[in-house]
Amino acid sequence: MPESVSTHPNVTQICDSLRARVDLDDDDRVIGTQNTQKPELYGWTGDIGWHVDNKGDVYFLILSDSTGVLFAEGETPISYSQGDVIRMNDFTRHRVEQNGLAVGLFMGAFEYGDDTKAINALTEAVSALTEQYKSNYDNAPRWEGSPLQDNECYIWHFDEECNYERTLLERATDTQGMILTCSHDGCTKPASEIDHHFPYMSDQNRCTTHQRGLR
Ligand SMILES: [Zn+2]
């Protein structure tokens, strides 16, 4: 694992968030995925009890310098460490024993996994995490749905589907789009959490400071 992966802002973001969760319940000690079928950052801290995710074949690649054991019902336990890739059908009940935190790349879920395709995509994703953050912003995997980092924002291009794009703040100021901002009294920071009724309403837009819940 290239050393520079651990200092990529997307990786430090998820590590920091996991460190703040060590005393929470199992559900909150896992940072989950959006199942985009592209490499996504995810992680957990401490042991996670038996559960099923019921999505399909998934791949994960351990990025952090940490070790643990994956138990899946009816299978021999697998000890994992940095750089390992595991394929799992997550309809199978599973649990992990983990010392400290683990951060990995996740890819899935698939009805049938394709090992070659997955390994290629995961390898490219690792390489993207070794490159300069800003110049390779679009290609680097992230914790999907993560709170905005300080140099990011969402912009809306006034399209009817109301898609908003996550991008670098410095890039957004050059576009015709509208930067979504926090609706908390007097706050002008970019919104990290967007009102579910946007663009009809934006009262619930919140920056990372005024966002509720875990971040
Ligand atoms: Zn705010």
Side-chain angles (χ1 to χ4, degrees):
M1 190 62 53
E3 191 82 6
S4 50
V5 167
S6 64
T7 57
H8 190 282
N10 292 3
V11 176
T12 55
Q13 179 187 35
I14 192 167
C15 289
D16 290 346
S17 184
L18 284 168
R19 272 185 215 107
R21 296 169 185 237
V22 287
D23 295 326
L24 304 180
D25 293 338
D26 277 26
D27 284 355
D28 289 328
R29 280 186 291 101
V30 177
I31 290 182
T33 63
Q34 306 281 323
N35 294 297
T36 58
Q37 301 194 341
K38 296 181 308 182
E40 304 174 36
L41 288 171
Y42 86 132
W44 59 95
T45 177
D47 298 347
I48 305 297
W50 289 108
H51 65 283
V52 288
D53 299 301
N54 290 328
K55 297 287 195 288
D57 279 349
V58 302
Y59 293 86
F60 41 94
L61 188 162
I62 305 296
L63 294 175
S64 52
D65 186 9
S66 54
T67 58
V69 186
L70 171 69
F71 297 81
E73 209 162 58
E75 305 285 340
T76 309
I78 298 173
S79 297
Y80 56 81
S81 57
Q82 192 177 41
D84 286 348
V85 179
I86 296 172
R87 170 181 167 163
M88 182 179 78
N89 184 295
D90 71 11
F91 284 98
T92 310
R93 255 162 55 92
H94 56 281
R95 67 179 182 93
V96 289
E97 285 179 3
Q98 171 71 41
N99 287 318
L101 63 82
V103 167
L105 283 167
F106 169 96
M107 191 174 161
F110 303 98
E111 195 174 351
Y112 302 103
D114 179 329
D115 294 353
T116 309
K117 232 167 117 177
I119 299 276
N120 286 342
L122 291 167
T123 306
E124 270 178 39
V126 170
S127 148
L129 290 172
T130 66
E131 287 171 42
Q132 210 268 333
Y133 173 69
K134 284 185 179 172
S135 58
N136 205 36
Y137 177 82
D138 293 319
N139 293 322
R142 70 159 63 95
W143 158 17
E144 290 295 332
S146 65
L148 289 184
Q149 307 205 49
D150 286 346
N151 48 21
E152 290 182 300
C153 66
Y154 285 109
I155 44 174
W156 178 42
H157 297 285
F158 307 105
D159 59 305
E160 289 178 6
E161 291 78 36
C162 311
N163 295 316
Y164 34 89
E165 179 196 2
R166 183 172 180 155
T167 190
L168 288 167
L169 202 46
E170 63 186 35
R171 241 192 240 175
T173 49
D174 294 336
T175 71
Q176 298 301 311
M178 180 176 97
I179 298 177
L180 305 183
T181 54
C182 182
S183 296
H184 192 271
D185 275 353
C187 185
T188 55
K189 284 178 66 182
S192 175
E193 184 180 290
I194 311 301
D195 195 315
H196 295 304
H197 298 109
F198 180 83
Y200 307 104
M201 289 201 267
S202 52
D203 307 7
Q204 300 302 318
N205 284 6
R206 289 290 180 272
C207 69
T208 50
T209 307
H210 296 119
Q211 214 170 330
R212 290 139 301 191
L214 292 166
R215 51 180 185 264

